[in-house]
Amino acid sequence: MSVVGIDLGFQSCYVAVARAGGIETVANEYSDRSTPSCISFGPKNRSIGAAAKSQVISNAKNTLQGFKRFHGRAYTDPFVQAEKPNLAYEITELPTGSAGIKVMYLEEEKSFTIEQVTAMQLTKLKETAESALKKPVVDCVVAVPCFFTDAERRSVMDATQIAGLNCLRLINETTAVSLAYGIYKQDLPAPEEKPRIVVFVDMGHSGYQVSVCAFNKGKLKVLATAFDPLLGGRNFDDVLVNYFCEEFGKKYKLDIKSKIRPLLRLAQECEKLKKLMSANASDLPLNIECFMNDIDVSGTMNRSHFEEMCDSLLSRVEPPLRSVLEQAKLKKEDVYAVEIVGGATRIPSVKERIIKFFGKDISTTLNADEAVARGCALQCAILSPAFKVREFSITDLVPYPISLKWNSPAEEGLSDCEVFPKNHAAPFSKVLTFYRKDPFTLDAYYSAPKELPYPDPSLGQFHVQKVVPQADGSSSKVKVKVRVNVHGIFSVSSASLVEILKTEDGEEPMETDQLAKEEDKMQVDQEEPKPEETTQTQAENKTNPDEMETSQTAPKEKKTDQPPQAKKAKVKTSTVELPVDHYPPWQIGRDMLNLFVENEGKMIMQDKLEKERNDAKNAVEEYVYEMRDKLCGIYEKFVNEDDRNSFILKLEDTENWLYEDGEDQSKQVYIDKFNDLKNLGQPIQTRYQEFEDRPKTFEELGKQIQLYMKAVHAFKNKDEAYDHLDSADMEKVEKSVNEAMEWMNNKMNLQMKHSLNVDPVVKAKEIQAKTKELTSTCNPIVTKPKPKVEPPKEEQQPNEHNGPVDNSTNSQGPQQAEQSPNTAASETEKKLPEMDIE
């Protein structure tokens, strides 16, 4: 089972995997652990990651970047409209009203949803993980910004499904960082002690997030979060871009913003310059050759000037820091440490503002780029049964208050109730009780739209179906379970109707009339803010430690006067599950999702076919260059001049064809072309290889002949090591050795007279076969073991060797000196530790 964590960044992505050795951030095919969030579409295939990044300038209109922040947004969304002028590619309105992206793919105009585009990026990251783990990847944990709304989270979840991934949890980026920080700490306070308070500051390329967490041994709780979704590294880049656009406009009379390619080139150079200024305070040059209209441009910038220009951005660093402490009701002195992550926190002035606010040094114990992915992999390992991980519970929170509203029959109007206030613990469930005779609708929405970085506060409608009155016509009690799940997504997870059945003696309960009188009052009670009536119970459950269910009831009605017989009556109830239909604003339908999954599969297959076609073409090109070089080098002696000249001519024709008619051919055409060339070149390569291998194989055969000749001579000289062998067998050995020697001498003489540019007289395989034949004939005879002679019992000494020691040794003979048990034991003792280590 794979354990994978994915940091799906605005500018770049990271993949971390859990292995027996711990958590590891894996590298892609370019040996880079960072994979650009970039997709480029071409006439034959799409490129993803680093390959797409190289096409940002050359294929600007069909290369997508920065699409992460369009999740779950309508085309008319103010954020989408504000971003649109700065993009090289075209944002379009889809039939559903959501934002999509229009590109040219396979020489056709195609529109993709943001979910499809993110799924393409996830497909690439999935391949990277599979390449590292050498097994299929399905389960994963994906990080999203903590300020993502319900619609954005649902959109990312849909993208994971299109990519064929099973997302075990959508985890907030700051929560993932907190987990990566806390799980390895051995000195955290005990559960009953005062928790350790740590602030995490994450400023990435597009967003700024701050969270404050409380750590105890084996658990972390997120106390509060604050954020500025529009502050990140790209804003600092834009300051430089605008400055140089203005300067080059005055200096070189260039309107840079009128053309997208020079603007993209300038943006790339400004990003590099920003990074250089983080490490160097002196004046730094910016030079771009053939920038626009064949004009070379140059300029300079230093850190102090840059910080002056960024003053308005830097002033936005402090408010979220102050906000997070106010929400958690903490003082600066309560903070144990301030951990910073994210690429933009490397800007010196950003660090200075954070240090100044807290009045203490900041910590950089975590990898600024990879901490989120590592935290995701740790969460995936915790959720996976395949890994045993230290017990560590995570309590996240609800970033925005969530309310429900519904039509109230009692007051003939809308009623509402805040079910999850801001910073409420999550995941979390609550049970609300309603009294209804008919099906009803609950509208979920964010009740603080001013705090929301999203124009639509609606979370969708939930229709509770099949609600019927009781048998006596009174309102039925309906229990509705609302939940914020592990992904941070709100839902009405279930609804049930409580039916009142007849009593044991078959009589109706005497409560009926009273119930009818109470209906209106109970309906009024449910319109009031119910959190005051809630009772919270936490179920200790190892498989689902975050399940906290709150029952909301109306106990006040039980205090009203009732007839004595009504109180005594025994009432049976049964629970009936009710269907709940959900209509979220931007959720992709199941049929459409299946179609997107199918389309992604087709695009993956197209990419694979195109890769195979390119590989076949590259194989032809590589063979042309290799053979042409070697025909005038190491292969020169192994081909006659006429054949060499004609082959070189053929190679040159193939090279010309590759850059003309053969530029765009099918895979099979390249394979056929390669085979044609190989038919000409293979005999030459074979002759060269035989020339290289033949001396080694002849040498090996000669050694074997010499070995067995020595054995024959030793037998004839009555050597004790061979005196147990049969003379007929040794004659057979001698005959085989003489035949092999004669065969070898004959072949060597013939080969010496043979030209190198024709096929050899004898091949290395034939010589190896002859060696094997000689060995199989002679070896069983020569290595036949000598029979042991048991010594007389009276001669055996108790403290001496248990058997005679034969000191006679021979390098060719089978006899080895026997060891005493003590010696053998000592040898075993020496080897055992080595075996343990292995």
Side-chain angles (χ1 to χ4, degrees):
M1 187 176 179
S2 60
V3 173
V4 176
I6 296 173
D7 175 12
L8 199 59
F10 182 94
Q11 186 184 37
S12 54
C13 305
Y14 292 86
V15 181
V17 300
R19 288 180 173 166
I23 304 298
E24 178 187 343
T25 310
V26 296
N28 56 27
E29 71 273 30
Y30 295 91
S31 300
D32 191 351
R33 291 191 289 195
S34 168
T35 299
S37 300
C38 197
I39 300 161
S40 185
F41 296 90
K44 294 286 183 182
N45 66 331
R46 46 177 199 174
S47 304
I48 306 169
K53 185 79 173 174
S54 64
Q55 299 180 43
V56 167
I57 309 297
S58 60
N59 187 24
K61 289 187 178 179
N62 298 306
T63 302
L64 315 182
Q65 297 183 93
F67 45 82
K68 175 183 177 180
R69 295 294 296 280
F70 299 136
H71 273 287
R73 291 186 182 267
Y75 176 74
T76 54
D77 189 307
F79 177 82
V80 175
Q81 293 303 313
E83 289 288 307
K84 195 177 174 184
N86 304 321
L87 300 173
Y89 52 90
E90 185 181 349
I91 293 284
T92 185
E93 186 172 10
L94 298 175
T96 57
S98 59
I101 296 173
K102 188 185 288 184
V103 292
M104 288 296 291
Y105 173 54
L106 303 182
E107 297 180 341
E108 291 179 19
E109 195 172 77
K110 298 272 179 109
S111 290
F112 293 106
T113 65
I114 304 303
E115 290 83 0
Q116 283 180 287
V117 173
T118 299
M120 295 175 197
Q121 185 71 36
L122 286 167
T123 298
K124 179 66 178 177
L125 302 175
K126 181 182 174 185
E127 286 174 10
T128 301
E130 286 177 339
S131 177
L133 291 170
K134 302 290 188 291
K135 59 182 174 183
V137 166
V138 178
D139 293 337
C140 66
V141 168
V142 179
V144 293
C146 63
F147 52 77
F148 258 28
T149 60
D150 202 85
E152 290 168 296
R153 290 171 189 271
R154 288 180 186 276
S155 180
V156 174
M157 285 297 289
D158 287 341
T160 62
Q161 290 186 55
I162 296 168
L165 291 166
N166 174 33
C167 183
L168 300 178
R169 178 171 186 169
L170 274 188
I171 190 170
N172 290 331
E173 289 170 355
T174 49
T175 308
V177 172
S178 313
L179 177 59
Y181 171 86
I183 199 166
Y184 294 112
K185 297 290 181 186
Q186 301 291 337
D187 58 343
L188 294 177
E192 66 278 1
E193 294 177 8
K194 186 180 177 182
R196 178 182 296 178
I197 306 298
V198 181
V199 173
F200 295 93
V201 181
D202 178 1
M203 188 182 286
H205 192 66
S206 73
Y208 174 39
Q209 307 168 68
V210 184
S211 74
V212 58
C213 299
F215 288 93
N216 286 92
K217 194 170 182 62
K219 67 177 182 179
L220 78 84
K221 183 178 182 183
V222 183
L223 302 178
T225 60
F227 33 78
D228 185 339
L230 302 177
L231 177 64
R234 68 177 183 150
N235 301 92
F236 292 91
D237 295 344
D238 289 344
V239 168
L240 288 173
V241 169
N242 292 331
Y243 170 80
F244 283 112
C245 279
E246 189 178 336
E247 184 179 320
F248 294 158
K250 292 175 183 175
K251 192 174 178 181
Y252 300 102
K253 303 293 185 287
L254 297 173
D255 183 10
I256 297 167
K257 291 188 178 180
S258 64
K259 293 186 179 179
I260 193 65
R261 287 188 179 181
L263 192 60
L264 289 170
R265 284 186 71 190
L266 181 61
Q268 287 181 348
E269 293 301 320
C270 286
E271 186 185 348
K272 293 176 189 174
L273 183 64
K274 177 192 72 176
K275 291 176 180 177
L276 286 171
M277 282 192 290
S278 295
N280 199 323
S282 59
D283 285 356
L284 294 170
L286 183 140
N287 301 312
I288 310 174
E289 292 181 356
C290 295
F291 178 61
M292 192 175 176
N293 304 336
D294 292 331
I295 297 172
D296 299 343
V297 296
S298 63
T300 59
M301 177 59 64
N302 59 51
R303 189 193 292 174
S304 60
H305 187 194
F306 176 55
E307 288 173 355
E308 284 174 22
M309 292 192 297
C310 296
D311 192 57
S312 60
L313 295 176
L314 294 169
S315 65
R316 290 160 63 182
V317 172
E318 195 174 304
L321 301 175
R322 186 180 296 107
S323 170
V324 83
L325 292 182
E326 288 172 359
Q327 289 177 53
K329 296 180 174 60
L330 293 169
K331 298 176 183 176
K332 296 175 186 178
E333 299 77 45
D334 298 329
V335 176
Y336 174 83
V338 181
E339 285 284 341
I340 62 166
V341 293
T345 55
R346 293 189 175 99
I347 299 172
S349 47
V350 171
K351 286 183 186 176
E352 287 166 13
R353 297 287 175 119
I354 299 168
I355 292 168
K356 184 180 176 183
F357 177 80
F358 286 103
K360 64 170 68 179
D361 284 340
I362 49 180
S363 300
T364 53
T365 57
L366 296 168
N367 185 307
D369 299 314
E370 299 171 12
V372 174
R374 293 176 68 84
C376 291
L378 282 164
Q379 175 64 87
C380 195
I382 290 168
L383 297 172
S384 166
F387 276 76
K388 188 177 180 182
V389 185
R390 186 183 296 119
E391 291 284 336
F392 204 87
S393 69
I394 305 164
T395 305
D396 215 321
L397 53 73
V398 178
Y400 314 107
I402 298 172
S403 295
L404 288 175
K405 61 183 176 184
W406 61 88
N407 280 313
S408 170
E411 294 187 358
E412 297 181 355
L414 284 174
S415 294
D416 63 3
C417 162
E418 187 174 87
V419 285
F420 291 107
K422 183 180 174 70
N423 293 337
H424 191 288
F428 207 96
S429 296
K430 290 185 179 181
V431 176
L432 312 177
T433 304
F434 294 86
Y435 291 86
R436 285 287 187 277
K437 294 181 180 179
D438 305 305
F440 60 100
T441 299
L442 296 171
D443 278 320
Y445 65 99
Y446 288 120
S447 48
K450 289 182 180 178
E451 295 179 18
L452 207 64
Y454 191 82
D456 185 7
S458 174
L459 298 178
Q461 293 184 329
F462 299 87
H463 299 292
V464 183
Q465 308 283 4
K466 297 186 179 179
V467 178
V468 293
Q470 295 294 314
D472 60 358
S474 62
S475 295
S476 295
K477 184 178 182 180
V478 180
K479 290 188 173 183
V480 176
K481 185 178 180 181
V482 295
R483 177 164 178 76
V484 173
N485 64 16
V486 291
H487 310 303
I489 295 172
F490 175 84
S491 66
V492 173
S493 56
S494 66
S496 58
L497 183 143
V498 180
E499 286 186 332
I500 300 175
L501 304 175
K502 292 181 179 181
T503 56
E504 291 177 359
D505 56 1
E507 295 180 358
E508 291 287 333
M510 300 300 290
E511 197 178 19
T512 310
D513 294 337
Q514 181 66 28
L515 186 64
K517 292 175 185 176
E518 292 174 4
E519 278 182 24
D520 288 343
K521 186 172 182 181
M522 294 173 82
Q523 286 165 353
V524 171
D525 283 343
Q526 74 172 338
E527 291 160 23
E528 295 170 2
K530 297 210 170 143
E532 294 138 21
E533 300 173 358
T534 63
T535 57
Q536 298 184 0
T537 58
Q538 182 171 0
E540 293 295 326
N541 186 339
K542 191 174 180 182
T543 57
N544 192 8
D546 53 14
E547 180 73 18
M548 297 176 70
E549 186 167 296
T550 300
S551 297
Q552 294 199 353
T553 57
K556 294 176 185 177
E557 275 57 58
K558 299 298 178 185
K559 296 176 184 177
T560 58
D561 293 332
Q562 293 183 9
Q565 65 268 34
K567 293 178 182 178
K568 293 176 183 177
K570 293 181 180 178
V571 180
K572 282 187 177 180
T573 61
S574 69
T575 303
V576 179
E577 289 296 319
L578 301 174
V580 180
D581 294 337
H582 179 210
Y583 301 99
W586 301 112
Q587 185 83 45
I588 297 175
R590 177 53 52 188
D591 293 341
M592 189 59 70
L593 198 64
N594 291 336
L595 178 64
F596 289 163
V597 171
E598 186 181 332
N599 288 343
E600 178 63 22
K602 288 178 181 176
M603 286 188 279
I604 290 170
M605 187 55 67
Q606 177 63 30
D607 293 343
K608 185 179 177 183
L609 291 172
E610 180 61 14
K611 183 180 182 300
E612 289 174 356
R613 190 188 77 85
N614 279 325
D615 288 347
K617 180 184 177 183
N618 291 338
V620 176
E621 189 175 34
E622 187 180 329
Y623 192 78
V624 167
Y625 291 143
E626 180 190 0
M627 287 305 294
R628 192 166 55 192
D629 182 51
K630 289 182 176 178
L631 282 171
C632 299
I634 57 174
Y635 293 166
E636 189 174 8
K637 296 183 289 183
F638 301 93
V639 58
N640 63 51
E641 192 171 346
D642 291 341
D643 290 344
R644 182 170 63 252
N645 292 337
S646 63
F647 192 16
I648 287 173
L649 196 62
K650 175 88 171 173
L651 292 170
E652 287 175 354
D653 290 344
T654 305
E655 184 183 13
N656 294 332
W657 173 82
L658 276 173
Y659 298 119
E660 292 168 4
D661 298 340
E663 181 69 36
D664 188 14
Q665 296 291 333
S666 68
K667 174 186 168 184
Q668 193 56 47
V669 170
Y670 294 123
I671 290 172
D672 293 342
K673 192 66 96 172
F674 181 77
N675 289 335
D676 288 345
L677 293 175
K678 201 169 182 182
N679 288 338
L680 294 172
Q682 191 61 49
I684 302 167
Q685 289 177 304
T686 302
R687 290 197 285 269
Y688 169 77
Q689 199 58 49
E690 287 292 332
F691 178 78
E692 291 288 306
D693 295 344
R694 200 165 44 245
K696 299 172 190 173
T697 51
F698 269 137
E699 185 181 354
E700 184 60 34
L701 177 58
K703 283 182 180 178
Q704 291 298 314
I705 290 171
Q706 193 177 19
L707 187 71
Y708 296 123
M709 282 288 282
K710 282 184 179 179
V712 170
H713 289 313
F715 175 78
K716 288 180 178 179
N717 293 334
K718 309 294 185 186
D719 193 314
E720 286 184 11
Y722 299 95
D723 60 5
H724 64 289
L725 300 179
D726 187 59
S727 58
D729 288 341
M730 291 306 289
E731 285 175 9
K732 187 179 177 183
V733 169
E734 186 175 10
K735 183 182 177 185
S736 297
V737 168
N738 289 334
E739 285 176 358
M741 191 185 297
E742 186 181 346
W743 181 88
M744 186 177 78
N745 290 334
N746 183 36
K747 295 296 183 184
M748 287 178 78
N749 289 333
L750 286 172
Q751 185 59 48
M752 286 175 70
K753 297 173 184 176
H754 214 61
S755 175
L756 292 175
N757 57 27
V758 293
D759 291 342
V761 174
V762 61
K763 294 185 177 178
K765 281 187 179 178
E766 295 173 35
I767 304 168
Q768 288 168 347
K770 195 69 176 175
T771 306
K772 191 174 180 182
E773 180 190 337
L774 178 66
T775 305
S776 61
T777 304
C778 302
N779 209 52
I781 299 170
V782 174
T783 60
K784 187 177 179 182
K786 196 170 186 177
K788 290 183 180 179
V789 179
E790 290 292 332
K793 287 184 181 179
E794 58 273 16
E795 292 178 6
Q796 188 172 354
Q797 299 297 326
N799 294 328
E800 296 295 324
H801 299 297
N802 292 334
V805 179
D806 187 354
N807 291 324
S808 62
T809 57
N810 188 295
S811 58
Q812 290 81 34
Q815 292 298 105
Q816 298 292 331
E818 295 183 20
Q819 295 177 331
S820 68
N822 294 338
T823 311
S826 64
E827 286 292 327
T828 307
E829 285 168 9
K830 287 177 185 175
K831 289 179 182 177
L832 276 174
E834 293 178 12
M835 292 167 70
D836 289 342
I837 289 165
E838 289 174 322

